[in-house]
Structure formats: C-alpha cells, structure tokens
C-alpha cells in the first residue's frame, strides 16, 4: 500500500473525500501526512478527526520557498511518503519539492485546463460565459496548472447557474474523479 501525503490550504473537502474512500476500502493508500500552509484551515480538523499526522507551516516564517519546502521534504521522508496529492493547496510548488518528488505530484483543478488556470477558476468560467467547464487532474510542474493532464470531466453550465450551484456540481465531480484517478495512479 502506497504512503501518500495530501497538501491542502482550505476546507479540505477533497481531502475528506479521499479519506472516505480509503476508509470504505475503495482506495488502497495510507495518508501518512497532511501538509497545510494555513493554521486556520478546516483540513487540519479533518486530519485530527481521522488520526492523520499534520505538518502545518507559516510560509512567512521562512526566508524562502526552498527553506520551507526542504522542511516539508524532511517530514515526508521521515514517513516514507512516496506520492503527493495536492487538494486545494493554493501555492506554486517550487523546484526543491518538484525535484525530490519528480513525476509523483498531482493536482486537481476546477476547470477544463488549459482554460481558467490559477485562482477562482469557477468565477473565471462564469465571467467568461462558457457553457461547459469541468475538472482536471494533472501532474504538477513548475507552471501554474500547466502539467500533463491525466483526467478530465466536463460540467455543463446552465442558464440560471450561480456560483453556489456550479461549485456544488464541480465538487461532486471532483470528489469522485480524484479517488478514481488515484486508484489508477497508485497501482503503478
Ligand atoms: C477545489 O475545488 C480544487 O479543485 C481547487 O480548490 C478547491 C479546494 O477545495 N484548487 C485549485 O483551484 C488549484 N488551482 P477543498 O479544500 O474543499 O478540497
């Protein structure tokens, strides 16, 4: 069974969905660590509820990204983490972490990349007036949501769609697509 780490910055609903599928026996993986860059993130509570170790850090307390990423790597290696799952980690991964885990970091993004990369992809799609958006799972590289695409699923935007209804629809897809894709990726 692969040891994985999940990185999150906020609510952690994707993190929770992965925990649920592991606990249901659908996904074979052990979450050895939650890495979080915001001390008030709800994801931390979720980790504690499920007995998952956390490494919470304040990026501003470090002189550079290289410095905090080296500390993250130490925490990952201590626990023999083999694979990293970004789930709402709102920070660009730097070369320090990328070279330590080359080809072993994946991310989920709430749009059909390459459309609407970066922050607030759902708001960007609504503003652009597109009729179809969706969810992308991709490998992480140095760019902003530019890595090789692994899986995508479309979500239709209806006439009367609001940010709330679209967010719910996208999250439903995310919570299913992420663990299904991880089943494949972690079996390699
Ligand atoms: C998710 O929709 C995820 O796709 C998005 O943040 C949300 C986190 O929600 N990620 C990005 O926008 C990355 N560019 P969660 O904390 O409830 O899982």
């Amino acid at each position: 069974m692969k040891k994985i780490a999940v990185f999150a910055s906020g609510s952690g609903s994707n993190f929770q969905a992965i925990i649920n599928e592991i606990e249901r026996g659908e996904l074979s993986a052990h979450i050895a660590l939650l890495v979080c860059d915001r001390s008030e993130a709800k994801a931390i509570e979720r980790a504690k509820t499920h007995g998952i170790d956390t490494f919470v850090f304040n990026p501003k307390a470090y002189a550079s990204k290289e410095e905090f990423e080296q500390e993250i790597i130490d925490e990952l290696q201590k626990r023999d983490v083999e694979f990293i799952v970004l789930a709402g980690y709102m920070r660009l991964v730097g070369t320090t972490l990328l070279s330590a885990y080359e080809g072993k970091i994946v991310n989920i993004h709430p749009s059909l990349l390459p459309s609407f990369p970066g922050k607030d992809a759902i708001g960007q799609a609504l503003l652009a007036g597109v009729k179809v958006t969706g969810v992308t799972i991709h490998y992480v590289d140095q760019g902003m949501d530019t890595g090789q695409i692994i899986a995508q699923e479309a979500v239709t935007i209806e006439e009367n769609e609001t940010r709330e209804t679209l967010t719910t629809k996208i999250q439903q897809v995310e919570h299913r697509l992420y663990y299904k894709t991880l089943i494949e990726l972690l079996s390699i």
Side-chain angles (χ1 to χ4, degrees), residues 10-15 87-90 107-110 118 145 171 174:
S11 152
S13 73
N14 279 284
F15 173 44
Y89 181 66
M90 303 311 261
N107 181 42
I108 190 159
H109 184 77
D145 303 318
Q171 280 182 342
E174 287 192 329

Side-chain angles (χ1 to χ4, degrees), residues 8-16 43 46 86-91 107-111 116-122 135-136 138 144-145 167 170-171 174-175:
S9 301
S11 152
S13 73
N14 279 284
F15 173 44
Q16 184 69 56
R46 297 183 194 269
L86 306 187
Y89 181 66
M90 303 311 261
R91 192 167 288 284
N107 181 42
I108 190 159
H109 184 77
S111 76
F116 314 127
K119 285 190 182 152
D120 192 20
I122 294 175
V135 173
T136 302
H138 64 94
M144 170 86 79
D145 303 318
T167 301
I170 291 216
Q171 280 182 342
E174 287 192 329
H175 297 167

Side-chain angles (χ1 to χ4, degrees), residues 55 57-75 89 94-97:
F55 175 65
F57 68 101
N58 173 7
K60 292 195 182 120
Y62 296 82
S64 64
K65 179 174 288 206
E66 194 182 341
E67 216 173 273
F68 68 70
E69 287 197 341
Q70 192 50 58
E71 208 164 310
I72 293 173
I73 292 168
D74 294 345
E75 295 293 330
Y89 181 66
T95 47
T96 309
L97 193 51

Side-chain angles (χ1 to χ4, degrees), residues 119-171:
K119 285 190 182 152
D120 192 20
I122 294 175
Q124 291 185 55
L126 287 169
L127 198 65
V130 294
K131 300 289 178 203
V132 179
T133 184
V135 173
T136 302
I137 294 162
H138 64 94
Y139 285 108
V140 174
D141 65 11
Q142 283 181 46
M144 170 86 79
D145 303 318
T146 51
Q148 190 199 328
I149 291 170
I150 304 163
Q152 288 188 308
E153 191 171 316
V155 172
T156 305
I157 300 181
E158 306 295 343
E159 281 303 318
N160 54 351
E161 203 79 67
T162 64
R163 174 183 281 272
E164 287 67 35
T165 58
L166 184 56
T167 301
T168 303
K169 279 158 65 175
I170 291 216
Q171 280 182 342

Side-chain angles (χ1 to χ4, degrees), residues 26-88:
E26 291 294 318
L27 174 62
S28 170
H30 172 69
I31 307 177
L33 189 66
L34 170 77
V35 174
C36 184
D37 59 349
R38 281 182 53 223
S39 59
E40 71 280 15
K42 191 172 169 201
I44 299 166
E45 266 173 54
R46 297 183 194 269
K48 290 196 174 142
T49 305
H50 293 269
I52 297 167
D53 277 4
T54 57
F55 175 65
V56 183
F57 68 101
N58 173 7
K60 292 195 182 120
Y62 296 82
S64 64
K65 179 174 288 206
E66 194 182 341
E67 216 173 273
F68 68 70
E69 287 197 341
Q70 192 50 58
E71 208 164 310
I72 293 173
I73 292 168
D74 294 345
E75 295 293 330
L76 297 173
Q77 288 180 343
K78 242 193 257 174
R79 295 170 178 84
D80 297 322
V81 167
E82 300 160 82
F83 198 88
I84 297 174
V85 175
L86 306 187

